Amino acid sequence: MTIDVLLDLLSCPRDGTNLSGRSDHMECEHGHSYPVVDGIPVFLLPDKPQTHSVAGLSIRDAYFPVAAGSRGESASPDEVDPFVQESIVLVCGQLYRSLAGKLDRFPAPEL
């Protein structure tokens, strides 16, 4: 999905206004700016309390990027992301314990 398509579908999470943007960030008409990381806009708000520890890591990586390649392990487009591999049991329950770290596809139903 391109930034242009996303701009038609999304609005500022702070005030609901329209967004404009480029490949590296989106901005609303009131000046609120949001980073775009690997084509995905990050609408987590760094000045608000986060309810999940991963949100804090996402904010850190999106708003305060580190040197290229030092983010840690990442998956290729054909692999399941390491975060999903590690979190499957926490998200989907103990029935998935035997699959932790062994997923060969994302555990999502086809719709």
Side-chain angles (χ1 to χ4, degrees):
M1 192 172 290
T2 67
I3 291 292
D4 293 332
V5 172
L6 289 175
L7 291 172
D8 290 338
L9 298 172
L10 302 173
S11 61
C12 177
R14 293 183 188 273
D15 56 33
T17 58
N18 293 329
L19 295 162
S20 60
R22 300 190 317 244
S23 62
D24 64 340
H25 79 277
M26 292 182 170
E27 188 172 303
C28 80
E29 53 198 60
H30 294 119
H32 301 125
S33 184
Y34 306 96
V36 175
V37 178
D38 296 331
I40 301 169
V42 178
F43 290 133
L44 297 169
L45 305 176
D47 59 332
K48 302 294 181 188
Q50 302 304 314
T51 59
H52 195 288
S53 62
V54 174
L57 297 174
S58 295
I59 288 170
R60 182 199 66 200
D61 289 350
Y63 286 89
F64 310 102
V66 292
S70 64
R71 277 190 185 164
E73 185 182 358
S74 62
S76 75
D78 297 330
E79 296 176 316
V80 177
D81 188 272
F83 175 79
V84 175
Q85 292 283 9
E86 295 171 13
S87 302
I88 188 70
V89 176
L90 299 173
V91 175
C92 296
Q94 296 300 318
L95 292 173
Y96 286 82
R97 181 176 293 284
S98 65
L99 296 176
K102 301 175 190 168
L103 296 171
D104 59 1
R105 65 180 180 82
F106 279 91
E110 291 188 34
L111 301 176

